[in-house]
Amino acid sequence: MDEFDVIWHTEPSLDDPVLVEGLPGVGHVGKLAADHLVDEFETDHVATVYSEHFPPQVTVEDGVSKLASAEFHAVDADGTDLLVLTGDQQAGDGPGHYRLTTTFLDVAEECGCETAYALGGVPTGELIEEYGVVGAVSEASLVGPLEDAGVEFRDDEPAGGVVGVSGLILGLGGRRGFEAACLMGETSGYLVDPKSARAVLDVLCAKLGFEVDYESLDERADEMEEVMEKMQEMQQQSTQTPDDDLRYIG
Amino acid sequence: MDEFDVIWHTEPSLDDPVLVEGLPGVGHVGKLAADHLVDEFETDHVATVYSEHFPPQVTVEDGVSKLASAEFHAVDADGTDLLVLTGDQQAGDGPGHYRLTTTFLDVAEECGCETAYALGGVPTGELIEEYGVVGAVSEASLVGPLEDAGVEFRDDEPAGGVVGVSGLILGLGGRRGFEAACLMGETSGYLVDPKSARAVLDVLCAKLGFEVDYESLDERADEMEEVMEKMQEMQQQSTQTPDDDLRYIG
Amino acid sequence: MDEFDVIWHTEPSLDDPVLVEGLPGVGHVGKLAADHLVDEFETDHVATVYSEHFPPQVTVEDGVSKLASAEFHAVDADGTDLLVLTGDQQAGDGPGHYRLTTTFLDVAEECGCETAYALGGVPTGELIEEYGVVGAVSEASLVGPLEDAGVEFRDDEPAGGVVGVSGLILGLGGRRGFEAACLMGETSGYLVDPKSARAVLDVLCAKLGFEVDYESLDERADEMEEVMEKMQEMQQQSTQTPDDDLRYIG
Amino acid sequence: MDEFDVIWHTEPSLDDPVLVEGLPGVGHVGKLAADHLVDEFETDHVATVYSEHFPPQVTVEDGVSKLASAEFHAVDADGTDLLVLTGDQQAGDGPGHYRLTTTFLDVAEECGCETAYALGGVPTGELIEEYGVVGAVSEASLVGPLEDAGVEFRDDEPAGGVVGVSGLILGLGGRRGFEAACLMGETSGYLVDPKSARAVLDVLCAKLGFEVDYESLDERADEMEEVMEKMQEMQQQSTQTPDDDLRYIG
């Protein structure tokens, strides 16, 4: 295998497509949101990217293994063309993040994308009542239109900047001429958070002018709610402090 | 030294050989099983692979050092030709895992292998009564025949996928056209586990149609049993909780 | 993106310029000092260096992202020409430190620099009353003139040597013929320390013969003082020991 | 700077020279021993090796910095020609260890060495009364003559093999035709240990047929003794357990 192996499954003909990235990260918010778009609309599997910069790992489903990879799907979102990038892994090393993102942007450019949305979560450290969506953009002119779509831009957030592929889609994408924005749903940071994913999708829909059915995402949210209630019961029955019991569950 | 150094000791003439990999991992199950095959049958030492992606280390036996490496042995298993891959180390870095496995598959291909079994363990976190063997395969058509040989395929296992060389023999091997399967013996994860290795070999024998003598492996299992009993006695005599005393022992 | 991307914004015409480096490090002393020079004098933004050896990260200010980078500014310090190197990150890997510093020295050489000052902090582990500045140089002949400017050279300090870009500006710069010195302000190591930055700038001004207004730096120091007083109050009100509360705050 | 930079200071004319390596490691035994040889005999500074695989660091002595490097000295040990390799750092990454050692062996070969001794320590975890020296060799024929010189070869030691440059001098050196041995002095592992270094040198002298004055090494050992006694007094005066106070001191 070469450093990168881009397998094209189909040559998509897309109309002014928008790159939407959702790889694993805080609360799996970005991944949940991107996967939901792939699940809800008609899609074409465009390309698969393998790389030695992914962890040396296969995932297994029904006994069948799948090598660490990222997938591009052409998604017809109610007439809006999306190129959705999903996967189960981030890069395993620093330079690998730069090189993977460069490869991703190459594919997106080849598909005609000039705009990119990186979806993700921003950890608040506490349970969320109202799910805000925090934004970061590649150029100042993008702030206004996103505020109109409900995105919040805050002075000191996200405090540590944006790391990983999402950050580099802003940084490397912006340098290559992409209009790039990162939409980060607030999330506790402790749990896989379908509600935060829905908040992010709400903003994306408002901005791009399409609608998506949330039923399956809401069901997933209900399941998480049940998990949390069970955990809280267990906490009350035990002598341990709540903090000791909170683990990352999905 | 180059990035990889493949030393061929003999050009094997093998009849439809099967690659069997057993590098160190959970419970050393895969390594114990592969080493047992090399010990029990007539073998030819085919090739040694050195690489800067192995840890910078020599092992020492009777004062004589051996540079970190992987070894290929041609094994005549009762008429079935195996190419057994063993060694004392996994790769030390992520891209190294990909490149090492690619080198291993190159050697196997050169020897005529089209089928590969990666042997390993799957940690259960508790002591095992009945040793199941969990499978993962490179393509769905391999599931049925392995189930007939006693392999279990479970919905959510192994939970974290398969990592390291074993995982990549599935992932990279499958992409290159190998029919690849990973056989993972259940094991507590705390101890070197000859019983789990025997369970894995049972399945391999059933699938490939050969038999192997387990006497030396059973002796090793008895030794481990004694070690464990001693440990349990020590635990009962001490005020510490059992968990504090359980260390990885082999 | 290549391994390094040096973007030249202007071709500076500098008179015997001096490289002054201030990247993040202990107490952010070097960064505070270098940023202060850029803030207080007339400057030209000379060049930006991007690299896959920086962490895969963007910083965000007012919602607009900035890819990890280092910046060179030509600074007219009261008639003394400085080439100030600042940024928000160090390299993320060992060889990356060597390669980044080599790139930095290439830029400095191209701008005509033959002298280099790496600014930083040296941790003392306790709160500082009198801020000393400890020096390290690329050749013994530089010790005397710096002692005249108030720099202290001590037998066993800094105990662990100098690490990161500052250390390599001494090491690699010295090998390339730069007269290089590292000026390290004493600092507790627990807090961002504008007072230590002022002590370092005092020495630099004395050595190079220019003056700089400290008002904004002193204000920042006052803010830190308030933060610390608040923390001490909180400590006295709590039952925790002071050590448990001291975190790195800036 | 290139990946490696070998600076030749003189072209040594050596008679059947023996490579002696002593880089930092357990108890600094190897480094103390190698440095002692350089200090006690007439030497020529043969070559310096710089590399991006060393940590990004300078050491500082009397204010003057020295870039991380390894040094080759030609040592006339009472008529026996040694090529002594010393330095302050090991490699910072796995492949770097392989590449550095390859570079070291290139230099040694260029100087005519066909024999190599890697000096080091083997941690026992307890204070030593009688300092044994444990050996490991590149080929079995070297065991006998070293046993005659007082080296012990034990079944299961060193348990984890030999890591770092010393291990690779055995592993890579042996593969290139060097007769290579590693001499490891027993040492607690907690303290810099001049007595263990002396034990290693005793063996080396016996094997190669030269003598060295130990006065300065014995003085250093006395200093360490005083440090230890002070520590023990402090331990008895404090309520802490001895284990908590034992830190690596040199």
Side-chain angles (χ1 to χ4, degrees):
Chain A
M1 193 170 90
D2 294 322
E3 191 178 4
F4 296 99
D5 218 341
V6 181
I7 311 296
W8 289 87
H9 306 297
T10 180
E11 201 159 329
S13 111
L14 297 162
D15 185 25
D16 201 10
V18 172
L19 175 65
V20 176
E21 174 263 331
L23 293 177
V26 183
H28 278 222
V29 174
K31 181 172 166 50
L32 284 173
D35 282 349
H36 188 68
L37 293 173
V38 173
D39 288 346
E40 292 297 318
F41 293 111
E42 218 160 288
T43 65
D44 260 338
H45 189 180
V46 173
T48 304
V49 178
Y50 300 102
S51 171
E52 64 181 19
H53 294 294
F54 283 122
Q57 192 176 7
V58 294
T59 51
V60 179
E61 212 178 298
D62 299 327
V64 181
S65 65
K66 186 163 152 289
L67 182 57
S69 64
E71 312 281 344
F72 284 90
H73 289 89
V75 172
D76 177 355
D78 233 11
T80 303
D81 276 355
L82 309 178
L83 183 71
V84 178
L85 166 58
T86 61
D88 288 325
Q89 278 97 0
Q90 292 265 345
D93 61 293
H97 270 105
Y98 279 87
R99 297 181 189 184
L100 262 177
T101 308
T102 297
T103 302
F104 294 157
L105 293 169
D106 287 347
V107 171
E109 216 166 77
E110 192 126 343
C111 292
C113 297
E114 297 178 353
T115 308
Y117 289 90
L119 311 185
V122 59
T124 62
E126 46 193 47
L127 299 186
I128 312 285
E129 297 287 319
E130 195 112 354
Y131 284 85
V133 174
V134 177
V137 292
S138 61
E139 44 186 290
S141 65
L142 302 173
V143 169
L146 281 167
E147 283 181 330
D148 296 344
V151 179
E152 299 172 43
F153 290 87
R154 301 175 187 165
D155 261 16
D156 300 334
E157 284 198 41
V162 186
V163 297
V165 169
S166 289
L168 293 184
I169 281 180
L170 288 179
L172 295 177
R175 287 198 61 217
R176 282 164 71 144
F178 277 80
E179 293 196 344
C182 187
L183 306 179
M184 290 160 281
E186 289 185 319
T187 178
S188 68
Y190 302 126
L191 298 156
V192 167
D193 196 340
K195 284 192 179 169
S196 181
R198 178 173 174 159
V200 167
L201 285 175
D202 269 340
V203 162
L204 191 71
C205 289
K207 182 71 185 62
L208 298 180
F210 68 86
E211 292 190 0
V212 64
D213 189 318
Y214 288 121
E215 199 182 322
S216 65
L217 204 56
D218 289 344
E219 279 170 20
R220 184 101 199 249
D222 291 343
E223 285 167 31
M224 287 305 302
E225 207 99 318
E226 283 171 38
V227 168
M228 279 183 57
E229 278 167 22
K230 238 177 186 160
M231 278 171 50
Q232 283 173 332
E233 278 172 38
M234 284 162 63
Q235 282 165 17
Q236 285 161 359
Q237 288 165 8
S238 81
T239 58
Q240 294 179 284
T241 64
D243 277 335
D244 288 347
D245 266 3
L246 264 178
R247 291 201 195 94
Y248 200 87
I249 293 180
Chain B
M1 194 172 90
D2 293 323
E3 190 178 3
F4 296 97
D5 219 341
V6 181
I7 312 296
W8 288 87
H9 306 297
T10 179
E11 201 160 327
S13 110
L14 297 163
D15 185 23
D16 200 10
V18 172
L19 175 66
V20 176
E21 173 263 332
L23 294 176
V26 182
H28 276 223
V29 174
K31 182 173 166 50
L32 283 172
D35 282 351
H36 188 68
L37 293 173
V38 173
D39 289 347
E40 291 298 318
F41 293 110
E42 219 161 285
T43 66
D44 261 339
H45 190 179
V46 174
T48 304
V49 177
Y50 300 100
S51 171
E52 64 181 19
H53 294 294
F54 282 124
Q57 193 176 5
V58 294
T59 51
V60 180
E61 213 178 297
D62 298 327
V64 181
S65 64
K66 186 163 152 293
L67 181 57
S69 64
E71 312 282 343
F72 285 90
H73 289 89
V75 171
D76 177 355
D78 234 12
T80 303
D81 277 354
L82 309 178
L83 183 72
V84 178
L85 166 59
T86 61
D88 289 324
Q89 279 97 0
Q90 292 264 348
D93 60 295
H97 269 105
Y98 279 87
R99 297 181 190 185
L100 264 176
T101 307
T102 297
T103 302
F104 294 156
L105 292 170
D106 288 346
V107 171
E109 218 166 75
E110 192 126 342
C111 291
C113 296
E114 296 177 354
T115 308
Y117 289 91
L119 311 185
V122 58
T124 63
E126 45 194 48
L127 299 185
I128 313 284
E129 295 288 318
E130 195 112 355
Y131 283 84
V133 174
V134 178
V137 292
S138 61
E139 44 187 289
S141 64
L142 303 172
V143 170
L146 282 166
E147 282 181 331
D148 296 345
V151 179
E152 299 171 43
F153 289 87
R154 299 175 187 166
D155 260 17
D156 300 334
E157 284 198 39
V162 186
V163 298
V165 169
S166 287
L168 293 184
I169 281 180
L170 287 180
L172 294 177
R175 288 197 61 215
R176 284 165 69 144
F178 278 80
E179 293 196 345
C182 187
L183 305 178
M184 291 160 279
E186 289 185 318
T187 178
S188 69
Y190 302 126
L191 298 155
V192 167
D193 195 340
K195 285 191 179 169
S196 181
R198 179 175 172 158
V200 166
L201 285 175
D202 267 340
V203 163
L204 191 72
C205 289
K207 182 70 185 64
L208 298 180
F210 68 87
E211 292 190 359
V212 64
D213 190 317
Y214 289 121
E215 199 182 322
S216 66
L217 204 56
D218 290 345
E219 278 170 20
R220 184 102 199 249
D222 291 344
E223 285 169 30
M224 285 307 303
E225 207 100 317
E226 283 171 38
V227 168
M228 276 183 58
E229 278 166 21
K230 238 180 188 158
M231 276 171 50
Q232 285 172 333
E233 279 172 37
M234 284 163 62
Q235 282 164 18
Q236 286 160 0
Q237 287 164 9
S238 81
T239 57
Q240 295 178 285
T241 64
D243 278 335
D244 289 348
D245 265 4
L246 265 177
R247 290 199 196 93
Y248 200 87
I249 289 178
Chain C
M1 193 170 91
D2 293 323
E3 192 178 1
F4 296 98
D5 217 341
V6 181
I7 312 296
W8 288 88
H9 305 297
T10 179
E11 204 160 326
S13 108
L14 298 162
D15 185 24
D16 201 8
V18 173
L19 175 66
V20 176
E21 174 263 332
L23 293 178
V26 183
H28 276 222
V29 174
K31 181 171 166 51
L32 283 172
D35 282 350
H36 188 69
L37 293 173
V38 173
D39 289 347
E40 291 297 318
F41 293 111
E42 217 161 288
T43 65
D44 261 338
H45 189 178
V46 173
T48 304
V49 177
Y50 300 100
S51 171
E52 64 181 21
H53 293 294
F54 283 123
Q57 192 175 9
V58 294
T59 51
V60 179
E61 213 179 298
D62 299 328
V64 181
S65 65
K66 187 161 153 291
L67 181 58
S69 64
E71 313 280 343
F72 284 90
H73 290 90
V75 171
D76 177 356
D78 235 9
T80 303
D81 277 354
L82 309 178
L83 183 72
V84 178
L85 166 59
T86 61
D88 290 324
Q89 278 98 2
Q90 293 264 348
D93 60 293
H97 270 104
Y98 278 87
R99 298 182 188 182
L100 263 176
T101 308
T102 297
T103 303
F104 294 156
L105 292 169
D106 288 346
V107 170
E109 217 166 77
E110 190 126 343
C111 291
C113 297
E114 295 178 353
T115 308
Y117 288 92
L119 311 185
V122 59
T124 63
E126 45 194 46
L127 298 186
I128 312 285
E129 296 289 318
E130 197 112 354
Y131 284 84
V133 174
V134 177
V137 293
S138 61
E139 43 187 290
S141 65
L142 303 173
V143 169
L146 281 167
E147 282 180 331
D148 296 344
V151 179
E152 298 172 43
F153 290 86
R154 300 175 187 167
D155 260 16
D156 300 334
E157 285 199 37
V162 186
V163 298
V165 169
S166 289
L168 293 184
I169 281 180
L170 288 178
L172 294 177
R175 289 198 60 216
R176 283 165 71 144
F178 278 79
E179 294 195 343
C182 187
L183 306 178
M184 290 160 282
E186 289 185 319
T187 177
S188 68
Y190 303 127
L191 297 157
V192 167
D193 196 340
K195 284 191 178 169
S196 181
R198 179 172 173 162
V200 167
L201 285 175
D202 268 341
V203 162
L204 191 72
C205 289
K207 183 67 184 66
L208 298 181
F210 68 88
E211 293 191 357
V212 63
D213 188 318
Y214 288 120
E215 200 182 322
S216 66
L217 205 56
D218 289 345
E219 279 170 19
R220 185 98 198 250
D222 291 344
E223 286 168 29
M224 286 306 301
E225 207 99 319
E226 284 171 38
V227 168
M228 278 182 58
E229 279 167 22
K230 237 179 187 158
M231 276 169 52
Q232 286 173 331
E233 278 173 39
M234 283 162 62
Q235 282 164 16
Q236 286 160 358
Q237 288 166 7
S238 82
T239 58
Q240 294 178 285
T241 65
D243 278 336
D244 289 347
D245 266 5
L246 264 178
R247 291 200 195 92
Y248 200 87
I249 292 179
Chain D
M1 195 169 89
D2 293 323
E3 191 178 3
F4 297 99
D5 219 341
V6 180
I7 311 295
W8 288 87
H9 306 296
T10 178
E11 202 160 328
S13 109
L14 298 162
D15 185 24
D16 201 10
V18 172
L19 175 65
V20 177
E21 173 263 332
L23 294 178
V26 183
H28 277 224
V29 174
K31 182 173 165 51
L32 283 171
D35 283 350
H36 188 68
L37 292 173
V38 173
D39 289 347
E40 291 298 318
F41 293 111
E42 217 161 287
T43 66
D44 260 338
H45 190 179
V46 174
T48 304
V49 177
Y50 300 101
S51 171
E52 63 180 22
H53 293 294
F54 282 124
Q57 193 176 5
V58 293
T59 50
V60 179
E61 213 178 299
D62 300 326
V64 181
S65 65
K66 187 162 152 294
L67 181 58
S69 64
E71 312 281 344
F72 284 90
H73 289 89
V75 171
D76 178 356
D78 235 8
T80 303
D81 277 353
L82 310 177
L83 182 71
V84 178
L85 166 59
T86 61
D88 289 324
Q89 279 98 2
Q90 292 264 350
D93 61 293
H97 271 104
Y98 279 87
R99 298 182 189 183
L100 263 176
T101 308
T102 296
T103 302
F104 294 158
L105 292 170
D106 288 346
V107 170
E109 217 167 75
E110 191 126 343
C111 291
C113 296
E114 295 177 354
T115 307
Y117 288 91
L119 310 185
V122 59
T124 63
E126 45 194 47
L127 299 186
I128 313 285
E129 295 289 319
E130 195 111 355
Y131 284 85
V133 174
V134 177
V137 294
S138 61
E139 43 187 289
S141 65
L142 303 172
V143 170
L146 281 167
E147 282 181 331
D148 295 345
V151 179
E152 300 172 42
F153 290 86
R154 301 176 186 166
D155 260 18
D156 300 334
E157 284 199 36
V162 186
V163 298
V165 169
S166 289
L168 293 184
I169 281 179
L170 288 178
L172 294 177
R175 289 198 60 216
R176 284 164 69 145
F178 278 79
E179 293 196 346
C182 187
L183 307 178
M184 291 160 280
E186 288 185 320
T187 178
S188 69
Y190 302 126
L191 298 156
V192 167
D193 194 341
K195 285 192 178 169
S196 181
R198 179 173 174 161
V200 167
L201 285 174
D202 268 340
V203 163
L204 191 72
C205 289
K207 182 69 185 64
L208 298 180
F210 68 88
E211 291 190 358
V212 64
D213 189 317
Y214 289 121
E215 200 182 323
S216 66
L217 204 56
D218 290 344
E219 280 170 18
R220 184 100 198 249
D222 291 343
E223 285 168 29
M224 285 307 301
E225 207 98 319
E226 284 171 37
V227 168
M228 276 181 58
E229 279 167 22
K230 237 178 187 160
M231 276 169 49
Q232 284 173 333
E233 279 173 37
M234 284 163 62
Q235 283 163 18
Q236 286 161 359
Q237 287 165 10
S238 80
T239 58
Q240 295 179 285
T241 66
D243 277 336
D244 290 346
D245 266 4
L246 263 178
R247 290 202 195 92
Y248 200 88
I249 292 177

